[in-house]
Amino acid sequence: MTRKPILAFEDLNVWFGVRPDNPGFHVVKGVNIALKPGERFGLVGESGSGKTTTIMAAMGLLPSSAEVSGRVLLEGRDILRDGEKSVAPHRWKDIAMVFQGAMSAFNPVKTVGWQIAEALDVHNVARGAAAGRRVGELLELVGISAAQSARFPHEFSGGMRQRAMIAMALACEPKVLLADEPTTALDVMVQDQVLKLLVRLSQDLNLALILVTHDLAIVAQNCHRAAVMLGGEIVEEGSVSDLYHRPQHDYTRKLFEATPDVFAVARKPEKPEAKRTPAPLLQVSGLKVSYPRPRSIGEVLRRERPEAPLVVNDISLKIDRGEMVALVGQSGSGKTTAMQAILGMVKSRGGTITLNGRDVTGLGMRDWRPLRRQIQMIYQDPYESLDLRFRVRDTVAEPLRIHRIAATAQEREALVVEALERVGLTPAVRYLGRFPHELSGGQRQRVAIAASIVLKPELLLADEPVSMLDVSVRAGVLHLLDELRRDARMGILMITHDLSTAANYADRIAVMHQGRIVEQGPAHQVIHAPEAEYTKALLASIPNPDPDRRLALRA
Amino acid sequence: MRGAGYVWKRVAFAIATVYVALTLNFILFRVLPGSPVSQISRVPNASPEMKKILTQQFGLDRPLWEQYLLYLREALHGNFGISYTNRQPVLDNLVQAFANTIPMVAAGTILAIMLGLTVGVVSAVRRGSATDHLSTNIAVLFYAFPTQFMGMMLLIGFAGVLPSAGMSDPFALDATAWEALLDRLKHMILPVTALMLTLYAENALIVRSAILETLGEDHILTARAKGVPRHRIIRHYALRNAMLPIVTMVAMSLGAIVTGSILIEVIFSWPGIGRALYTAVLKRDYPMLQGGFLFITIVVITFNLIADLLYYKLDPRITT
Amino acid sequence: MSTTTVNQAPDSQSPYGFWPTLRGVLQQKTALAGLVIVAFFVIIALISPWIEPYSISEASCGVFEAPSRAHWLGCDDGGVDMLSLVLRGGRISMIVGAVATLIAIGIGATIGVLSGYFGGWVDTLLMRITDYFLVVPQIVLMIAIAAVWGPSLSHVIIVIGALMWTGTARLIRAQVKSLRERVYVKRVEAVGAGHAHIIFNHIIPQIGPLLVANTVLAITVAIFNETALAFLGLSDPTAVTWGTIMEHAFDRAAVSSGAWWAIVPAGLSVAFLIMGCYMLGRSIEDALNPRLKVSYLSTHFWRLRPLVGRGPDAL
């Protein structure tokens, strides 16, 4: 390990919004990283930790409000010394980057091939027919056929777009590749493929890679070394094995604890079976849903109802009081649609839904309204699920007003306070008058949950309740759901794409794929002895926080 | 072919709109209480024979639905009746007036688009600079000037220097083709300038804000990371993507172009279609008014269709 | 929005609140200038009957008399004081503009909300209708209608109002459609709220600021159209508006007489009022548009912190 670093950050600091009268925000504080050729380095942190800003500084792509100090050395030369002038020549030629949202990172009106060829053109690598050949080679390198270069970004799937982005990043044969959350928006199986591709390319091309991510498991599986960032500082750095087995900093330990290990559940003792009652809380049998496209005026006049393919195809589920069932599936598997149908927001095309022994299939909006007290929903994005003009008090009280519960303002306030304390926002008076933007993500999600349980429902439907939250606050929200299940005996149907979360919290897991439930059973059984091929493939693609598991799985 | 459905939809919509305009025209001028054609007595200086001819021509002695069918049939054959004022077929009058309008309006509009694009792009990419402030404020000022006011100011300012009325010198009878062309161009200067100044401002403001919106897109950042030079980013990323809202909004301002050209033709006595419409209103020449309304509507619908197809050409994402 | 937008505020606060909007608007100099201009015109219109120096129906000086100390803005062809005319004309022009705008915004907002909220065939039908109105050249239709019904101020108001709503309808529809898809609207719906509850508590308050901006911008179009119709002789010839003042001047050959003062005061008044409204409306719209806050192609770059003077210690 005596090779000289290809890229090194030395005491890098970044401030935003510095003005003569304002010290600004110090968002990157004295970061030191040294990267050797061919090395894969993980930069882990939660939102706002400064990880993206750090690598943007190396690209010289910080906004004009930024002030930088320290050095970024490329093969020993400081590329920041003259500001934009000295960084610009290295962009893409020496340091290239893969952005998070590949959809918006491509110019939507130019073909993918054009955009890759442009990189070759502006750096004088190749032009004309030679450029065309090189574009083809690059695409083949990332597993896309050369013929696809004439297509537009929107014609690619998410995974393909990210591959094409990687191909574009490699166009000028850079020495360092910076990848900013390259797989965040992707499904776990696609994520696995993209990460494998990055690892392979780094090996084949001796490419140094910085992988910026919030997911420790991804780093553990794909990097040699990693640094954990918190509040702009690197709190711990070391080999992934050291970080996992011998974390020095509390925050690192906390992050690993919060990163679910899908196989940990197999080792946990089986949860006691929920007590069965004759009539289950929710019984879904043979549910079918399709999304009819909006009918044209002609079709309305001809009274035609165009048939659409089934999004949910014949699924059956049962949830008892005090039981948490996880519906696991990738995007497009139909899991959210199934939930919408259970909630009566989408019409079903077949099957029955029974709530508390009452058949609610095909009930109209008006008939549904009184039943909504029994069944409540928790949404994925706590930043979106609250009306930003409503104070916490009004958000939580709104369901009470809608259902005309509580005669007086005092009674209502008492119920609101009770709900807020139930979700752990204590003392409630501190939160009542706040607006959503004065709350953290975890607190917002708790407010949303309070607004659901204030009606004292029996069944909670939770749609990816933690996927938008930072890793360290996820556990808290999941524990809260677990408590509601145990103490308040609520039945919970949790939708998630994350088998690990499901394995750690749910009593039973149903795996959904292409509109069907391919496997259903107790959590430990689904993880431990999966039967469906799809479940097995899914399990194999989940990154594990234990770096040593990599060998076993990837061999 | 990609989006053939889209193209057909737009064409069908254009045709349907023409039909709606035809019907609206019929209702407006025949069915509504007090509508002029049904009250032939309103026709100025009409002899009894003339009234009889008109009654026959419009089928006023027959039931309404028959009148409607008759009207549609005649309209499809391009027969909009005879002008009350010069006793010529309306269509002939309109076509001739339109031929006079085209060079002036086309020149003014094209110049306005070119000027608007340039000013808008420069302001947007130098957002917040002195250039931006100056050119945006000037554009707002011109946007705010009523067309007729600007026209009259030009008239007062350039009276005697440049020809201010009509489109040719009525006394230059034995002019060569070249002289006639020069004379025509000279006559065009003022109206074209007035139209351009009226229209460029809105274009500049539209272009500026459309480009500002695209500058926040992630692909601009990718392009910068890729090392694409600034001018290339402006052209292939910012402007190219901003063209989509620009095309839509310029299409939506077709109405403003029509308004502007009518006012300018009136002010500069340009014998075009706008002035024909104006004269028809003054002289209560209803067949001309009706025909002019339909004619301009069809022209605008056609340009709207062109804009739709252009949008389709510009945006590869359109499929239906 | 992705996390690559490093220069974004950490909190993705929606701009659609009343106070954040107001703050964002008042931070802009343009908005303040616009507000001052509009307020000036509104005040003048309110007090004009008391400050008109001469009668607007009687001659008080000579034909096309040039501006003088007694008649600041000169006189028109009938010897009527121009200043008095412009003051009175402003009053009526602004009433016409405001009423026509309110009609248009009322129709547009209703159609936009219904279309965007309910979607489906309601949306298809209403938008088809809107598309027709959008394509038909309005000024020509106005001319036709005004010509059929005869010239009158109320016709002008109705015609402008009834034809100008399309832009508002499309804008509000797009906004409501995106609000309809917001998670919190879905959440409240799942709680059991009715359509009326959602529309009045969660949709309309959100589009309020945008509607205000749109109203202010629509006034410019209404006033513009009023002067155009008046110029073409389709407004009530006896009513005094900025439009009829200009039409009158043109008709009576003010241009060839070089009597610019018969045209300029009314023309500039229209221009300044439209400018004020435009600046104000535009500023509100800009404050509401989060996409304008980020630019990746700034002409300024990040700076290196000077090594001396202000180090980390200075913080």
Side-chain angles (χ1 to χ4, degrees):
Chain A
M1 298 293 263
T2 51
R3 281 176 302 170
K4 271 174 61 184
I6 178 96
L7 183 74
F9 295 78
E10 283 185 358
D11 191 29
L12 182 76
N13 285 277
V14 180
W15 294 263
F16 280 144
V18 178
R19 294 215 185 87
D21 54 336
N22 186 347
F25 302 100
H26 196 179
V27 291
V28 175
K29 301 172 185 165
V31 162
N32 288 291
I33 296 170
L35 197 64
K36 297 187 182 65
E39 188 180 28
R40 294 188 300 279
F41 186 88
L43 196 55
V44 187
E46 300 188 335
S47 52
S49 63
K51 55 189 195 302
T52 300
T53 309
T54 303
I55 60 165
M56 288 306 236
M59 291 292 287
L61 290 178
L62 293 171
S64 57
S65 62
E67 202 168 287
V68 179
S69 79
R71 304 200 294 172
V72 173
L73 302 170
L74 181 75
E75 297 179 304
R77 274 171 297 120
D78 182 9
I79 55 172
L80 293 189
R81 74 187 173 271
D82 292 325
E84 169 75 9
K85 251 197 307 207
S86 54
V87 195
H90 299 288
R91 279 187 206 134
W92 229 250
K93 263 192 106 61
D94 297 311
I95 310 177
M97 188 161 176
V98 175
F99 294 91
Q100 173 180 14
M103 179 74 230
S104 50
F106 274 113
N107 185 348
V109 295
K110 300 284 186 185
T111 64
V112 171
W114 185 93
Q115 298 188 53
I116 298 176
E118 183 185 38
L120 300 170
D121 182 22
V122 298
H123 292 289
N124 294 317
V125 177
R127 286 209 175 81
R133 274 196 305 278
R134 179 87 180 108
V135 169
E137 283 168 25
L138 286 163
L139 286 175
E140 302 275 357
L141 187 66
V142 298
I144 296 173
S145 84
Q148 306 272 29
S149 72
R151 303 182 74 179
F152 288 95
H154 72 274
E155 297 173 300
F156 279 16
S157 70
M160 267 171 94
R161 269 199 295 270
Q162 200 55 284
R163 286 160 181 277
M165 190 75 212
I166 295 171
M168 186 159 85
L170 298 176
C172 305
E173 297 174 333
K175 304 178 180 98
V176 181
L177 184 62
L178 309 174
D180 183 14
E181 302 265 12
T183 58
T184 298
L186 304 177
D187 280 335
V188 66
M189 282 157 89
V190 182
Q191 158 175 300
D192 190 49
Q193 291 161 6
V194 170
L195 289 171
K196 276 181 182 150
L197 173 69
L198 279 173
V199 169
R200 180 169 63 80
L201 291 171
S202 126
Q203 285 164 350
D204 294 356
L205 307 173
N206 197 28
L207 186 69
L209 176 72
I210 295 187
L211 193 59
V212 173
T213 178
H214 64 279
D215 191 343
L216 264 181
I218 287 180
V219 168
Q221 293 301 316
N222 299 291
C223 296
H224 301 112
R225 288 192 305 133
V228 178
M229 279 189 90
L230 173 67
E233 281 177 284
I234 292 187
V235 296
E236 186 164 1
E237 189 195 326
S239 74
V240 287
S241 173
D242 281 349
L243 287 178
Y244 179 73
H245 293 292
R246 294 170 285 282
Q248 302 295 310
H249 198 279
D250 283 346
Y251 182 69
T252 314
R253 200 169 299 131
K254 193 175 153 200
L255 276 187
F256 270 111
E257 276 164 15
T259 306
D261 181 346
V262 70
F263 296 104
V265 72
R267 294 183 226 117
K268 274 199 301 190
E270 209 174 295
K271 283 178 183 165
E273 281 277 299
K275 208 181 115 214
R276 303 278 172 201
T277 43
L281 182 59
L282 175 76
Q283 173 100 49
V284 176
S285 42
L287 182 69
K288 287 182 183 172
V289 187
S290 64
Y291 271 115
R293 59 179 169 78
R295 290 185 293 164
S296 69
I297 288 188
E299 282 163 338
V300 171
L301 291 178
R302 290 194 301 272
R303 294 170 185 258
E304 280 174 16
R305 292 190 176 275
E307 287 291 302
L310 289 173
V311 184
V312 171
N313 194 352
D314 193 18
I315 70 164
S316 300
L317 271 176
K318 199 177 70 171
I319 299 168
D320 273 308
R321 287 175 186 78
E323 187 182 38
M324 187 192 285
V325 175
L327 190 58
V328 180
Q330 301 301 293
S331 53
S333 63
K335 56 188 195 301
T336 302
T337 308
M339 178 170 278
Q340 294 286 324
I342 294 170
L343 202 59
M345 307 289 283
V346 172
K347 277 207 167 60
S348 55
R349 254 182 54 195
T352 56
I353 303 164
T354 320
L355 182 65
N356 248 337
R358 180 172 171 192
D359 186 359
V360 296
T361 324
L363 278 190
M365 274 298 172
R366 210 167 285 276
D367 298 319
W368 248 113
R369 219 158 276 161
L371 291 172
R372 296 222 179 277
R373 287 186 60 180
Q374 297 174 25
I375 176 169
Q376 283 296 313
M377 178 104 184
I378 296 164
Y379 292 86
Q380 177 174 14
D381 190 345
Y383 293 88
E384 273 275 294
S385 64
L386 303 180
D387 190 332
L388 295 175
R389 295 172 312 104
F390 276 43
R391 291 175 195 276
V392 167
R393 172 190 288 116
D394 302 320
T395 296
V396 181
E398 190 177 25
L400 298 174
R401 284 193 285 125
I402 290 168
H403 286 279
R404 302 210 166 75
I405 299 169
T408 64
Q410 285 91 334
E411 271 180 63
R412 206 182 298 144
E413 183 96 350
L415 287 170
V416 169
V417 167
E418 187 193 327
L420 285 176
E421 294 189 336
R422 187 74 202 74
V423 298
L425 293 175
T426 48
V429 277
R430 269 181 52 198
Y431 296 95
L432 283 173
R434 294 205 192 167
F435 284 105
H437 67 87
E438 298 168 317
L439 302 171
S440 71
Q443 287 171 336
R444 289 188 199 201
Q445 191 61 303
R446 284 169 194 269
V447 170
I449 296 175
S452 306
I453 64 165
V454 72
L455 290 172
K456 303 209 165 64
E458 294 176 78
L459 179 64
L460 273 184
L461 306 181
D463 183 4
E464 303 268 13
V466 295
S467 70
M468 301 290 282
L469 300 177
D470 272 330
V471 179
S472 59
V473 298
R474 285 183 183 178
V477 172
L478 288 166
H479 281 307
L480 170 63
L481 290 179
D482 200 43
E483 272 170 38
L484 290 172
R485 174 184 75 83
R486 235 176 316 114
D487 305 343
R489 305 287 301 153
M490 288 183 193
I492 300 179
L493 175 62
M494 177 167 72
I495 281 193
T496 177
H497 68 281
D498 182 4
L499 203 45
S500 324
T501 305
N504 279 283
Y505 289 91
D507 301 305
R508 285 187 298 118
I509 293 178
V511 180
M512 208 168 161
H513 180 51
Q514 294 180 346
R516 295 173 187 275
I517 289 184
V518 294
E519 180 155 10
Q520 189 167 189
H524 65 95
Q525 186 191 313
V526 171
I527 302 300
H528 207 56
E531 278 168 14
E533 283 306 313
Y534 181 74
T535 316
K536 288 177 193 165
L538 203 56
L539 276 167
S541 62
I542 296 173
N544 196 279
D546 181 354
D548 301 333
R549 269 198 177 267
R550 163 174 46 187
L551 300 170
L553 278 171
R554 303 209 167 204
Chain B
M1 187 186 122
R2 166 182 76 93
Y6 174 84
V7 174
W8 284 120
K9 255 188 195 166
R10 298 323 299 173
V11 172
F13 176 72
I15 293 170
T17 314
V18 170
Y19 170 75
V20 170
L22 272 170
T23 307
L24 193 67
N25 192 15
F26 178 80
I27 295 172
L28 206 59
F29 286 86
R30 300 263 189 102
V31 183
L32 285 186
S35 60
V37 179
S38 49
Q39 292 174 322
I40 296 294
S41 57
R42 274 215 202 164
V43 177
N45 324 317
S47 60
E49 301 88 78
M50 171 81 185
K51 284 183 186 174
K52 207 168 153 194
I53 293 167
L54 281 173
T55 311
Q56 221 164 24
Q57 187 189 336
F58 290 112
L60 291 182
D61 43 358
R62 289 187 236 171
L64 211 53
W65 63 270
E66 241 177 90
Q67 287 183 40
Y68 179 60
L69 291 180
L70 192 71
Y71 159 82
L72 281 185
R73 201 184 69 200
E74 293 303 312
L76 283 180
H77 290 98
N79 181 6
F80 297 112
I82 307 290
S83 161
Y84 291 166
T85 23
N86 69 355
R87 305 289 157 95
Q88 294 294 312
V90 167
L91 190 65
D92 293 0
N93 282 343
L94 290 173
V95 168
Q96 213 207 326
F98 188 59
N100 293 340
T101 295
I102 286 177
M104 192 270 287
V105 172
T109 310
I110 290 169
L111 285 175
I113 289 177
M114 277 162 40
L115 187 61
L117 266 176
T118 318
V119 172
V121 170
V122 169
S123 295
V125 299
R126 311 195 138 266
R127 182 188 186 180
S129 68
T131 322
D132 175 26
H133 285 303
L134 189 68
S135 64
T136 306
N137 286 333
I138 292 176
V140 172
L141 192 70
F142 276 110
Y143 168 82
F145 275 151
T147 312
Q148 66 273 31
F149 177 59
M150 191 131 56
M152 287 191 278
M153 288 298 98
L154 284 175
L155 274 184
I156 292 178
F158 293 92
V161 185
L162 285 168
S164 58
M167 55 177 208
S168 55
D169 188 347
F171 303 110
L173 289 173
D174 48 356
T176 61
W178 173 244
E179 279 166 350
L181 181 68
L182 263 184
D183 180 51
R184 170 72 72 92
L185 286 177
K186 248 193 201 158
H187 277 83
M188 265 172 69
I189 293 177
L190 280 185
V192 165
T193 310
L195 188 61
M196 178 189 77
L197 290 179
T198 312
L199 298 177
Y200 106 90
E202 195 177 7
N203 291 339
L205 295 167
I206 288 172
V207 170
R208 178 178 178 272
S209 63
I211 290 198
L212 281 185
E213 286 207 5
T214 59
L215 288 182
E217 305 264 358
D218 289 346
H219 58 76
I220 304 270
L221 189 66
T222 314
R224 276 194 61 201
K226 238 160 79 173
V228 180
R230 200 180 155 76
H231 62 90
R232 245 190 103 98
I233 298 184
I234 292 170
R235 195 170 138 216
H236 291 290
Y237 291 76
L239 186 57
R240 180 61 180 72
N241 278 282
M243 278 320 284
L244 303 172
I246 291 171
V247 166
T248 308
M249 289 199 263
V250 169
M252 279 173 75
S253 67
L254 277 174
I257 298 177
V258 174
T259 311
S261 15
I262 293 176
L263 291 169
I264 281 165
E265 287 186 0
V266 170
I267 290 166
F268 294 97
S269 313
W270 192 268
I273 197 152
R275 198 177 142 79
L277 210 60
Y278 173 71
T279 324
V281 172
L282 287 189
K283 305 248 167 88
R284 307 210 168 280
D285 185 348
Y286 289 105
M288 269 302 279
L289 193 57
Q290 238 191 102
F293 167 69
L294 260 181
F295 196 90
I296 296 181
T297 307
I298 290 170
V299 170
V300 171
I301 290 170
T302 311
F303 276 97
N304 242 293
L305 180 65
I306 292 172
D308 278 341
L309 298 182
L310 187 63
Y311 191 96
Y312 158 78
K313 186 101 181 74
L314 285 172
D315 191 349
R317 284 163 294 186
I318 290 179
T319 46
T320 51
Chain C
M1 186 143 313
S2 77
T3 53
T4 50
T5 52
V6 282
N7 46 356
Q8 228 194 337
D11 186 55
S12 60
Q13 162 76 307
S14 149
Y16 295 100
F18 180 74
W19 292 113
T21 305
L22 193 66
R23 232 175 323 177
V25 170
L26 293 182
Q27 274 163 8
Q28 303 177 56
K29 271 187 227 140
T30 336
L32 280 177
L35 197 62
V36 168
I37 296 173
V38 173
F40 171 79
F41 276 104
V42 170
I43 291 170
I44 292 287
L46 287 175
I47 62 172
S48 70
W50 293 279
I51 58 169
E52 282 166 18
Y54 297 94
S55 158
I56 57 155
S57 47
E58 286 165 32
S60 52
C61 64
V63 173
F64 282 141
E65 202 176 291
S68 65
R69 190 162 293 185
H71 301 276
W72 293 358
L73 300 178
C75 296
D76 76 351
D77 61 298
V80 179
D81 180 57
M82 207 63 221
L83 179 61
S84 308
L85 280 173
V86 169
L87 286 172
R88 178 63 65 90
R91 197 177 159 91
I92 299 174
S93 281
M94 284 164 78
I95 292 174
V96 172
V99 176
T101 302
L102 286 182
I103 295 175
I105 296 287
I107 301 176
T110 312
I111 289 193
V113 168
L114 292 179
S115 195
Y117 184 85
F118 289 103
W121 65 268
V122 176
D123 183 31
T124 314
L125 182 70
L126 289 177
M127 279 305 112
R128 230 4 93 72
I129 294 173
T130 310
D131 281 349
Y132 285 117
F133 273 96
L134 213 55
V135 174
V136 173
Q138 303 190 355
I139 191 79
V140 184
L141 192 56
M142 284 180 196
I143 292 174
I145 292 178
V148 170
W149 284 353
S152 119
L153 262 192
S154 52
H155 290 171
V156 169
I157 293 178
I158 294 170
V159 164
I160 295 177
L163 292 179
M164 212 180 62
W165 53 268
T166 47
T168 310
R170 297 239 303 203
L171 184 79
I172 296 297
R173 168 184 175 268
Q175 200 61 39
V176 171
K177 223 173 154 59
S178 92
L179 284 172
R180 188 77 180 80
E181 294 305 314
R182 291 285 178 87
V183 180
Y184 67 81
V185 172
K186 297 262 178 217
R187 181 175 65 76
V188 174
E189 201 179 3
V191 164
H195 296 313
H197 176 98
I198 295 176
I199 290 177
F200 287 108
N201 285 284
H202 296 281
I203 303 277
I204 289 182
Q206 296 278 25
I207 58 169
L210 193 64
L211 210 50
V212 171
N214 195 248
T215 309
V216 178
L217 288 176
I219 290 178
T220 67
V221 183
I223 292 178
F224 206 96
N225 282 346
E226 190 272 328
T227 66
L229 286 182
F231 192 77
L232 298 176
L234 297 166
S235 184
D236 182 354
T238 60
V240 178
T241 70
W242 287 335
T244 53
I245 293 173
M246 278 189 276
E247 189 251 334
H248 208 67
F250 182 73
D251 223 34
R252 302 299 164 87
V255 171
S256 50
S257 323
W260 54 267
W261 53 87
I263 306 163
V264 173
L268 277 188
S269 300
V270 174
F272 279 122
L273 178 58
I274 289 183
M275 210 161 97
C277 288
Y278 183 85
M279 281 155 70
L280 183 60
R282 215 42 230 237
S283 306
I284 305 176
E285 276 196 348
D286 286 354
L288 290 172
N289 190 345
R291 297 172 68 185
L292 292 181
K293 297 203 172 94
V294 184
S295 170
Y296 290 126
L297 208 65
S298 166
T299 37
H300 302 281
F301 295 107
W302 51 275
R303 310 176 294 279
L304 278 170
R305 171 161 290 209
L307 289 172
V308 283
R310 214 168 39 184
D313 311 327
L315 291 169

